[in-house]
């Protein structure tokens, strides 16, 4: 297995999320202080704004993940490939597109395939249930497909086990990115 693996890193997304609220707050503040007009807000390139914010969120997630688990000497072990935004938000939300080498994947697999918190999470959320038929049920099935394993790993990290830490860390310096892109 020497091929790079493409996968998604789930996060809160931009639709009706804490990030969306911060963006709205910054824009409202800029309007109330006279730096932006209503007409100027209609020209904001939200696609670019979300892309720039997702790069920041990606960097923060990797730094926090690496600080928490001490796996790599730097935070370049996964590459940012872009932002996936669904056409309709009723089925899913934004996700970060990423690429990882097979060597890094194996390091992550070896570290987490027996992590009790992670495996319990995967075993629970990957179960088939009303309205959801799982193709990868349980950790033993999930780890057979590298991209699925990695998405579950970062879902567990960003949206469950370390959710509060991720939200706090990713929103600390977010205002500057918003100001520079509106």
């Amino acid at each position: 297995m020497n091929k790079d693996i493409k996968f998604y890193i789930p996060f809160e997304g931009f639709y009706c999320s804490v990030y969306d609220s911060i963006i709205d707050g910054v824009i409202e503040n800029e309007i109330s202080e006279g730096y932006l007009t209503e007409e100027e807000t209609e020209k904001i390139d939200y696609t670019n704004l979300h892309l720039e914010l997702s790069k920041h969120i990606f960097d923060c997630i990797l730094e926090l993940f690496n600080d928490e688990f001490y796996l790599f000497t730097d935070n370049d072990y996964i590459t940012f490939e872009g932002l996936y935004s669904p056409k309709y938000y009723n089925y899913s939300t934004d996700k970060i597109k990423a690429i990882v080498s097979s060597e890094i994947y194996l390091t992550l697999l070896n570290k987490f395939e027996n992590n009790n918190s992670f495996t319990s999470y995967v075993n629970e959320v990957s179960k088939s249930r009303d309205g959801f038929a799982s193709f990868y049920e349980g950790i033993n099935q999930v780890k057979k497909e590298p991209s699925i394993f990695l998405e579950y790993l970062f879902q567990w990290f960003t949206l469950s086990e370390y959710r509060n830490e991720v939200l706090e860390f990713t929103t600390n310096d977010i205002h500057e990115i918003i100001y520079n892109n509106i």
Side-chain angles (χ1 to χ4, degrees):
M1 176 187 348
N2 287 333
K3 193 174 178 188
D4 286 344
I5 300 158
K6 294 182 177 191
F7 69 103
Y8 292 110
I9 296 177
F11 70 108
E12 301 287 328
F14 295 110
Y15 182 74
C16 294
S17 70
V18 66
Y19 304 111
D20 188 43
S21 295
I22 293 171
I23 292 168
D24 289 347
V26 168
I27 292 171
E28 287 171 15
N29 187 50
E30 292 295 288
I31 292 169
S32 71
E33 293 192 12
Y35 296 114
L36 275 178
T37 64
E38 291 288 339
E39 294 78 32
E40 289 172 321
T41 63
E42 294 172 13
K43 297 176 185 171
I44 293 173
D45 182 352
Y46 282 94
T47 302
N48 185 63
L49 175 58
H50 290 164
L51 180 65
E52 293 304 315
L53 287 171
S54 67
K55 289 176 187 175
H56 168 76
I57 292 165
F58 171 81
D59 289 341
C60 289
I61 289 170
L62 291 192
E63 184 177 339
L64 190 58
F65 187 86
N66 207 22
D67 288 350
E68 196 63 41
F69 299 110
Y70 310 106
L71 293 172
F72 308 103
T73 57
D74 60 37
N75 294 328
D76 296 338
Y77 55 98
I78 297 175
T79 304
F80 178 86
E81 189 176 64
L83 177 66
Y84 165 77
S85 295
K87 187 172 183 176
Y88 303 103
Y89 283 94
N90 54 336
Y91 297 112
S92 69
T93 191
D94 305 289
K95 296 178 184 179
I96 295 169
K97 297 189 287 186
I99 301 174
V100 67
S101 70
S102 56
E103 294 82 13
I104 297 296
Y105 163 70
L106 290 174
T107 300
L108 293 168
L109 176 66
N110 290 333
K111 172 75 175 179
F112 290 99
E113 69 181 331
N114 295 313
N115 176 298
N116 288 335
S117 175
F118 172 63
T119 57
S120 294
Y121 175 82
V122 170
N123 289 336
E124 184 60 34
V125 299
S126 67
K127 285 181 187 176
S128 292
R129 55 194 174 278
D130 287 346
F132 174 69
S134 181
F135 295 105
Y136 302 94
E137 196 162 327
I139 191 66
N140 291 328
Q141 291 295 312
V142 165
K143 70 183 184 181
K144 290 180 182 178
E145 179 57 49
S147 63
I148 301 297
F149 176 86
L150 290 165
E151 186 166 349
Y152 272 114
L153 176 62
F154 282 94
Q155 177 180 314
W156 166 77
F157 184 77
T158 62
L159 300 176
S160 181
E161 193 73 13
Y162 294 88
R163 181 177 184 267
N164 292 337
E165 293 89 340
V166 168
L167 283 173
E168 182 180 339
F169 193 54
T170 59
T171 57
N172 275 346
D173 297 322
I174 206 166
H175 291 84
E176 184 177 334
I177 297 164
I178 296 168
Y179 286 122
N180 291 335
N181 288 282
I182 58 172

